[in-house]
Amino acid sequence: MAETAQNIRVRDNTEAGRFEIVVAGEVAGFSAYQRFGASIVFTHTQINPDRSEHGLGTQLVQTALDEISHSTSLRVVAQCPFVAHFIEEHPNYQRLLIR
């Protein structure tokens, strides 16, 4: 579980196949994925509507990609439009993509 800010954590819930952002002990959103060999396919990102204006989606995706970058050799497939847009806007993560 990675600490991103006070009372905000991002964790990899491998059983559910998703990274989750937890705010004050409650899951506030997630980025779902499927693993296939050496690739991780992000399929959907969702933030609870009452938290959608707080930048949690960005924190979630950035922390998930940082964990993948630093601790695994997985390559990313960004089927999720939110993840794809994040990577497009942050070129330093493009090296994680499968081309």
Side-chain angles (χ1 to χ4, degrees):
M1 190 175 317
E3 195 76 28
T4 58
Q6 187 177 14
N7 294 321
I8 299 175
R9 294 181 320 277
V10 173
R11 65 184 179 205
D12 184 1
N13 183 341
T14 57
E15 288 184 14
R18 64 190 201 174
F19 282 91
E20 299 171 334
I21 191 159
V22 179
V23 178
E26 299 286 329
V27 175
F30 63 88
S31 191
Y33 64 78
Q34 296 176 332
R35 290 189 183 197
F36 298 98
S39 65
I40 183 167
V41 181
F42 283 94
T43 58
H44 178 71
T45 299
Q46 180 176 321
I47 301 296
N48 294 347
D50 60 330
R51 302 251 186 209
S52 64
E53 300 294 322
H54 301 284
L56 296 178
T58 298
Q59 284 183 309
L60 170 62
V61 170
Q62 181 173 2
T63 303
L65 293 174
D66 285 345
E67 283 193 23
I68 290 166
S69 175
H70 293 105
S71 63
T72 69
S73 60
L74 291 173
R75 305 302 284 175
V76 172
V77 177
Q79 285 183 351
C80 168
F82 189 89
V83 173
H85 179 74
F86 179 89
I87 292 173
E88 181 179 311
E89 294 292 316
H90 299 87
N92 54 314
Y93 292 99
Q94 290 178 5
R95 62 184 166 70
L96 297 174
L97 293 173
I98 292 176
R99 300 282 178 193

